[in-house]
Amino acid sequence: MRDNGGLRVSLDLARRWQGLGARVRFLVLENVEPEGPMLAPDPALDTRWGSAQVRRFRSAAPRIVANTLRHARRADVVVSGSEVGYGVLIGWVAARLARKPFVVVVQSSLPRAVAAWNPARLRPLLTEVHRRVDAAICVSPGLVVDVREVGVPDERIHSVDVGIDVAATLAKVAATGGPVRSTTGRTRLVAAGRLTEQKGFDVLLDALARAVSAGADLELVLVGAGEEEADLRSRADLLEIGDRVDFAGHVGNLQNLLAGADLFVLSSRYEGNGSLVLLEALAHGTPVVATDCPTGPRYVLRDGELGELVPVEDAGALADALVDFAADPEPLRRKASGGPARAWDFDQDRAALESARILAELVR
């Protein structure tokens, strides 16, 4: 239950499937020592543990496998909420032994995610399992190509625009004091995500330093935590912008920060559906600059109609976009005016209904 965007999507879909009349059992493979923020089990869901005791995975594995198989035998369909990790492997084996359909929700670029989040010894096995799923539900059309290249037949690949609860996102800001704006007089940038290589925050810091050197009076609030935090802090200091970067960590008021930002920046090297936080920024009508990374931002931003797109890992191009915005924010503000309507295209009620129909067809 370590907090991350993929787990939040899985929980949200499970809740909504239950609201549509399904009997959902949410299986968490193992209980672990907290390392950073953890999500509490949802009282609205029937949550079970593969292994409830905190122990090394190797010693917990037999119990996890046995419990997963037991739950699979009682199910109509087994769904892995992620395309990576032991959950895919154990879920697939349990579903096959129980003679039940197995579905994977693909939330990120499949080859990149398998390479980034799994030991080398498991990657060929994971790829083979993906070839044999009964359905792959991609959270963005841009992920379909990757899944097809792995070898999943076209008739088993589905695309569903998974997104956010727009109404709840907007209501949270109104209920918690409204937008949080800069008090320094500087143009405030907000970026959010796990502090990992995927998110390209090193490129963002380089771009920020270039933009400041060019005369733009900018500051950055970087929301999130991760293994690259120490390196990013050192990089900011070396670039002499440490006083302009707030490493905020995990916060409870992200929506307030997004609503109050002058500009939201997505600097990722790759994404799933273009990042849920990008959709949240659009919902608030916040101007956006995003990398044209695989997959999603171009699709979400309608080829740049709703925000600025810059090349991946191009600190110079990103810096130019920041300088241009600081000098004249109106062009991006006009684009951002179409953001709230676009966010509703990705409302989760629609995603839950479409994915539920896919599962129901498999069960039939």
Side-chain angles (χ1 to χ4, degrees), residues 14 33 36 41 48 68 76 103 109 115 119 136 169 179 218 242 280 295 323 334:
E33 293 285 358
R48 306 295 179 95
T68 304
D76 293 307
V103 178
S109 171
T169 297
L218 305 171
E280 290 168 345
T295 59
V323 170
R334 286 194 293 271

Side-chain angles (χ1 to χ4, degrees), residues 181-188 217-219:
R181 305 189 188 279
S182 174
T183 59
T184 65
R186 291 170 170 166
T187 297
R188 171 173 281 188
D217 193 13
L218 305 171
E219 65 184 20

